[in-house]
Amino acid sequence: MNSNTYASLLNFSLPPMNVVRIAIIGLGNRGLLTLTRYLHIYGVEIKALCEVRQGNLEKGMALMKEANMQPAQGYN
């Protein structure tokens, strides 16, 4: 394959976004820790949480409530 087939994205940039909307699929240990980190970032909206275990989905919703975030749509 020719190395010129793909353009490099090393210098790719966009103007800053005011809001970044996120959905998290999977709220096991890593997912809950990821959610916790995202709740500390200015300009992030968690729009949806998806988890098959109802208890973990409830934990995620509780973390959002503790952080005074708008509730996300929950899916399981």
Side-chain angles (χ1 to χ4, degrees), residues 3 5 11 16 19-20 28 30 44 51-52 55 62 66 68 75:
S3 63
T5 303
N11 294 317
V19 176
V20 176
R30 290 182 187 165
V44 165
E51 171 57 57
V52 296
E66 289 173 21
N68 294 317
Y75 298 94

Side-chain angles (χ1 to χ4, degrees):
M1 187 169 277
N2 185 341
S3 63
N4 294 327
T5 303
Y6 300 101
S8 172
L9 293 176
L10 290 176
N11 294 317
F12 181 76
S13 67
L14 292 171
M17 301 168 111
N18 293 329
V19 176
V20 176
R21 293 169 190 87
I22 296 174
I24 297 177
I25 301 171
L27 293 170
N29 290 334
R30 290 182 187 165
L32 288 171
L33 289 172
T34 299
L35 173 60
T36 301
R37 287 189 302 271
Y38 285 173
L39 293 173
H40 294 284
I41 300 173
Y42 177 79
V44 165
E45 290 181 7
I46 309 296
K47 301 302 277 185
L49 298 176
C50 182
E51 171 57 57
V52 296
R53 293 166 289 195
Q54 185 63 33
N56 283 4
L57 183 59
E58 290 170 2
K59 287 179 187 177
M61 295 293 192
L63 287 170
M64 292 188 65
K65 186 175 182 177
E66 289 173 21
N68 294 317
M69 298 286 283
Q70 291 292 320
Q73 182 69 44
Y75 298 94
N76 55 353

